[in-house]
Amino acid sequence: MADVAVRLTQLTKRFGGDATGRRVAKFVDGATPGDSILAVDHIDLEVRDREFFSLLGPSGCGKTTTLRMIGGFEQPTSGRIELAGEDVTWLPPYQRNVNTVFQNYALFPHLTVFENVAFGLRRRKVADGEVRTRVTEMLALVELPGYERRKPGQLSGGQAQRVALARALVNKPAVLLLDEPLGALDLKLRKQMQVELKRIQQEVGITFIYVTHDQEEAMTMSDRIAVMSRGRYEQLGDPEVLYEHPKTRFVAGFLGVSNLLPATRAGSVNGYAGFRLGSGTAVRVPLTLLEGRAAGYAVGVRPEKIRLFEPKDEVPAGLNQAPGVISDASYLGVSTQYIVTLADGHRVTVYEQNVQRATKAELWASGEQVVLAWAPEHCFVVEDGGATDTASIETPSPEPVVA
Amino acid sequence: MTATTAPITLAGPPRSVARRGARWIAGNLPWVYVGLVILYLVVPIAVIALFSFNDPVSKSNLVWHGFTLKYWLNPLGVPGLGDALATSLRIAFASTAVATVLGTLIALALVRYDFRGKGLANLLIFLPMATPEIVLGASLLTLFVQVGQPRSELTILIAHIMFNISYVVVTVRARLAGFDRNLEEAAMDLGANPWTTFWRVTFPLILPGIVAAALLAFSLSIDDFVITNFTAGPTVTFPMFIWGAARVGVPVQVNVIGTIIFVAAVGLVAISTLAQRRRSA
Ligand SMILES: Nc1ncnc2c1ncn2[C@@H]1O[C@H](COP(=O)(O)OP(=O)(O)O)[C@@H](O)[C@H]1O
Ligand SMILES: [Mg+2]
């Protein structure tokens, strides 16, 4: 299919286990020279043409290794890499129509900004005149006109970032690989560059594969995201699907805050699956949300989807409800964050916009009895690994899988 | 009021001058210190330069007798001096060239690749620097005699290349240790094959280290006496010539040549420093 920019088939990278095992042992606590690290574990992936695709995951989950294999800097242990339908698995970097923006920018310190950007064109023996026009165009695109004669040492972090981008894009690669390119910038600049990167990507119409551990960054920019953990991705989809309907406990916890309540199936009634929570409360979930999930469920709901009622209030029909006690309230200005403890001791996070209740006196106070209510359609169902802590899931430890 | 201040003012001038001086020294102590160190380093060289203008009455150039330019106008006017200088320069250039190329390649291998015996190689590189020159010279002589190699300019050259390689490896390796490998990956990413990557990225970036190594090798070679003396046979280098001449009295021309070498060395270092500063600007 022509509209697939990159296809990975069973792509695997194992570090060590042989002669390099000694070096691996130096890197990883507890590893012995014979051990090997499965950095990338049989990944199948299709990145579409002109798409902004993100690999999102905690540090050490194999994002960089995956990207480096696509770029040609790392040789896969097994599997296959195709670019626009062509098998490039064993081609060196300089024979792949792919360019990379490195996390530390990797600008050539001995060359001017102009020569940095022109480097790729010069390698392809592009005529001088054309080099000049294309470099000038590219510097205009990244909003650095007039910087041609500077050396990388005279640039700020944000400017160096733009030069690195220009240097890669000027070659009109089929795919641009970006490894946490904004990691070294301060928050304000990072936000600004996120918008800028998205604009540039749409302007040049090149496929971007973007690596980040920042879920907000991935959500802001990406058309689709693969959430990675321990050398594989747990779920792939557009940001909205990943947020609203995470498939696993890990994805639910990595993107935003979620409440996960272990539940047991209890029949189904006209399109809804019944569940019984640990506290004995019965809740309903649309049957369609169970698709693709193995048994052993937990029912999840995002904090902003829950509404709080007084016990004497009439809760609108059709909502799931669960009684609880407010155990903490933090006023955040735009909203208030409550921690509500259910009858079985589970703690649930709730965000309430400060609209109906806005002053201190009106907010719920610790110890007050409340009823949590949320629409069945706002639930999501994850396969439950059996963990019981439900408030907000911490990112799983970034320890590598030692095989 | 005036009565109380008057005695102080009276006694003031001598004491306050001393105090002001002391305060000045305290305030500028780092500069005073640096000045003294520089003086310490420069005085012997200044003496050499000064005595190249001396017009001694006897063969020994140890007492100032009067100013003359005649030795500067005829710097090679001592039999043997010109040949000795030419020999030293030949050996210095040749050993620097060979040692710089070999040493740079060894440094690249030691930093870039993992291979069996790398630890041993790293250790052996230090040996020529750690071994006393006199031991090295004597053992080289034994070696040359054992293999039946007559001593000549060639044996000096072999010896100089040997110790120069060590210094080049250590100098270039230090430069390579801080080298960002991502730069080479970036070059390949942009379409440069390994050969182009080396010449366009790696080499220009480690060049300052290579130049420093070459300068060091050159100066080590041109002034080496101990090892050279063991391996020279009938050949006479510049330092050997001076050593021989010193028994009767060092000719003023030696001061002239010494001054020229010194000025040339300082000039080279200045040029390479300036060039580097311009490149990184
Ligand atoms: N050159 C290497 N040698 C040995 N192990 C490595 C090497 N590079 C990466 N790893 C290991 O592979 C795993 C994945 O690393 P990486 O792809 O860099 O993760 P990420 O980019 O997601 O933080 C980590 O456990 C890391 O320690
Ligand atoms: Mg990484």
Side-chain angles (χ1 to χ4, degrees):
Chain A
M1 234 161 65
D3 60 358
V4 174
V6 179
R7 177 183 285 121
L8 309 181
T9 313
Q10 292 289 297
L11 190 66
T12 302
K13 178 69 187 183
R14 189 183 286 278
F15 286 110
D18 47 19
T20 53
R22 261 172 295 133
R23 232 177 328 153
V24 173
K26 272 190 237 160
F27 279 112
V28 183
D29 285 342
T32 58
D35 284 344
S36 64
I37 293 172
L38 198 52
V40 175
D41 184 7
H42 298 89
I43 287 191
D44 285 312
L45 189 67
E46 279 183 7
V47 179
R48 297 178 193 142
D49 214 17
R50 297 174 168 236
E51 148 174 76
F52 197 121
F53 189 93
S54 289
L55 291 171
L56 172 67
S59 154
C61 71
K63 307 180 296 290
T64 297
T65 308
T66 307
L67 207 67
R68 285 175 59 81
M69 285 193 285
I70 301 174
F73 306 114
E74 211 80 70
Q75 296 196 334
T77 308
S78 64
R80 196 176 144 90
I81 303 167
E82 285 165 59
L83 289 176
E86 186 202 352
D87 185 351
V88 299
T89 316
W90 302 105
L91 289 186
Y94 49 91
Q95 285 170 11
R96 296 184 187 203
N97 190 14
V98 176
N99 285 119
T100 308
V101 175
F102 292 85
Q103 173 159 16
N104 65 357
Y105 317 137
L107 297 179
F108 306 123
H110 59 300
L111 300 179
T112 59
V113 166
F114 183 94
E115 284 306 326
N116 264 280
V117 178
F119 195 91
L121 300 177
R122 297 237 190 267
R123 300 289 77 74
R124 284 187 280 141
K125 309 262 186 296
V126 174
D128 262 356
E130 197 190 335
V131 169
R132 206 162 314 118
T133 12
R134 283 174 68 176
V135 170
T136 311
E137 248 173 52
M138 205 35 80
L139 285 175
L141 180 73
V142 299
E143 295 179 340
L144 281 180
Y147 279 71
E148 285 85 352
R149 300 172 70 116
R150 298 240 193 147
K151 287 283 183 73
Q154 298 166 299
L155 300 175
S156 71
Q159 291 168 341
Q161 171 64 70
R162 287 157 195 266
V163 174
L165 195 63
R167 182 177 71 173
L169 283 175
V170 77
N171 306 293
K172 302 194 175 128
V175 179
L176 186 72
L177 308 174
L178 304 101
D179 190 357
E180 313 220 8
L182 308 183
L185 305 181
D186 63 54
L187 187 66
K188 193 162 163 246
L189 201 52
R190 201 153 69 216
K191 295 274 179 219
Q192 189 188 328
M193 281 301 292
Q194 288 173 7
V195 178
E196 197 108 330
L197 269 177
K198 184 73 189 173
R199 168 185 71 83
I200 290 171
Q201 192 259 339
Q202 284 166 346
E203 213 157 303
V204 296
I206 288 175
T207 310
F208 275 33
I209 302 183
Y210 191 96
V211 158
T212 180
H213 64 263
D214 182 337
Q215 51 108 0
E216 211 182 308
E217 194 167 288
M219 301 268 276
T220 319
M221 296 192 284
S222 317
D223 297 318
R224 291 196 304 156
I225 302 172
V227 182
M228 286 188 69
S229 162
R230 295 163 180 250
R232 2 190 44 189
Y233 63 90
E234 301 229 335
Q235 192 172 355
L236 189 159
D238 57 45
E240 185 248 322
V241 167
L242 290 179
Y243 185 77
E244 299 297 343
H245 298 293
K247 237 181 98 172
T248 67
R249 180 173 279 275
F250 175 81
V251 175
F254 200 75
L255 281 93
V257 176
S258 61
N259 298 298
L260 286 178
L261 307 166
T264 44
R265 268 308 295 277
S268 21
V269 201
N270 50 24
Y272 288 97
F275 280 99
R276 197 163 291 284
L277 303 183
S279 52
T281 319
V283 296
R284 296 186 310 148
V285 174
L287 268 172
T288 49
L289 294 184
L290 269 63
E291 275 166 23
R293 272 66 162 171
Y297 302 104
V299 172
V301 57
R302 298 287 183 183
E304 74 279 8
K305 301 286 196 313
I306 302 174
R307 288 162 64 195
L308 298 177
F309 292 89
E310 288 183 45
K312 64 176 168 51
D313 286 345
E314 181 82 20
V315 176
L319 296 189
N320 289 319
Q321 330 182 359
V325 180
I326 303 278
S327 47
D328 185 61
S330 334
Y331 181 77
L332 305 174
V334 59
S335 62
T336 304
Q337 175 188 317
Y338 297 101
I339 306 290
V340 181
T341 307
L342 301 185
D344 61 350
H346 271 112
R347 292 152 68 83
V348 174
T349 306
V350 180
Y351 296 153
E352 206 174 57
Q353 293 291 313
N354 291 335
V355 184
Q356 280 162 345
R357 304 157 199 277
T359 65
K360 199 86 187 162
E362 289 165 350
L363 298 177
W364 301 99
S366 280
E368 271 189 89
Q369 294 280 342
V370 291
V371 174
L372 308 170
W374 67 94
E377 287 72 22
H378 287 159
C379 290
F380 55 86
V381 177
V382 302
E383 300 166 6
D384 192 15
T388 49
D389 173 34
T390 53
S392 58
I393 310 236
E394 271 135 353
T395 306
S397 66
E399 258 121 53
V401 184
V402 175
Chain B
M1 287 304 262
T2 38
T4 48
T5 49
I8 295 172
T9 345
L10 275 179
R15 222 198 289 171
S16 82
V17 164
R19 211 185 294 159
R20 222 180 295 152
R23 211 182 304 141
W24 184 89
I25 290 178
N28 294 280
L29 201 57
W31 296 113
V32 173
Y33 178 71
V34 167
L36 286 173
V37 169
I38 290 178
L39 195 67
Y40 181 37
L41 296 176
V42 160
V43 159
I45 299 163
V47 168
I48 289 175
L50 180 67
F51 275 74
S52 71
F53 297 104
N54 192 15
D55 191 7
V57 287
S58 70
K59 278 206 157 192
S60 97
N61 182 15
L62 297 172
V63 185
W64 184 258
H65 279 280
F67 181 87
T68 175
L69 279 177
K70 69 180 176 209
Y71 300 105
W72 274 91
L73 296 174
N74 187 17
L76 299 178
V78 183
L81 193 154
D83 287 342
L85 186 62
T87 307
S88 272
L89 285 173
R90 264 200 312 275
I91 293 170
F93 275 113
S95 71
T96 300
V98 176
T100 305
V101 173
L102 288 180
T104 301
L105 294 177
I106 293 172
L108 277 164
L110 287 176
V111 174
R112 292 300 170 79
Y113 300 101
D114 264 337
F115 50 88
R116 201 182 285 274
K118 178 169 163 173
L120 187 66
N122 263 319
L123 183 72
L124 288 178
I125 281 301
F126 266 109
L127 271 188
M129 289 196 272
T131 314
E133 272 196 69
I134 194 111
V135 177
L136 216 52
S139 73
L140 275 168
L141 175 62
T142 318
L143 180 71
F144 288 135
V145 170
Q146 283 298 317
V147 299
Q149 169 66 44
R151 267 70 64 215
S152 65
E153 212 172 304
L154 179 67
T155 48
I156 303 178
L157 185 62
I158 291 171
H160 283 206
I161 289 171
M162 184 207 64
F163 66 72
N164 271 344
I165 281 179
S166 295
Y167 288 93
V168 172
V169 169
V170 170
T171 313
V172 175
R173 192 171 53 185
R175 180 88 192 177
L176 272 171
F179 191 91
D180 179 8
R181 296 300 299 275
N182 269 342
L183 293 175
E184 287 165 344
E185 291 187 343
M188 295 218 213
D189 186 67
L190 294 165
N193 60 28
W195 177 259
T196 315
T197 300
F198 180 79
W199 288 111
R200 295 278 169 173
V201 175
T202 316
F203 183 73
L205 288 174
I206 62 172
L207 186 58
I210 297 177
V211 169
L215 287 176
L216 179 65
F218 189 88
S219 71
L220 286 171
S221 167
I222 204 155
D223 98 322
D224 181 74
F225 178 75
V226 178
I227 293 176
T228 309
N229 207 28
F230 275 104
T231 53
T235 312
V236 176
T237 63
F238 186 60
M240 291 167 74
F241 177 86
I242 298 175
W243 174 249
R247 267 173 279 177
V248 269
V250 179
V252 183
Q253 279 91 343
V254 166
N255 291 51
V256 174
I257 307 262
T259 308
I260 292 173
I261 291 177
F262 171 74
V263 170
V266 169
L268 276 177
V269 170
I271 288 169
S272 85
T273 311
L274 280 179
Q276 214 176 315
R277 207 173 284 171
R278 209 163 41 92
R279 270 146 53 84
S280 58

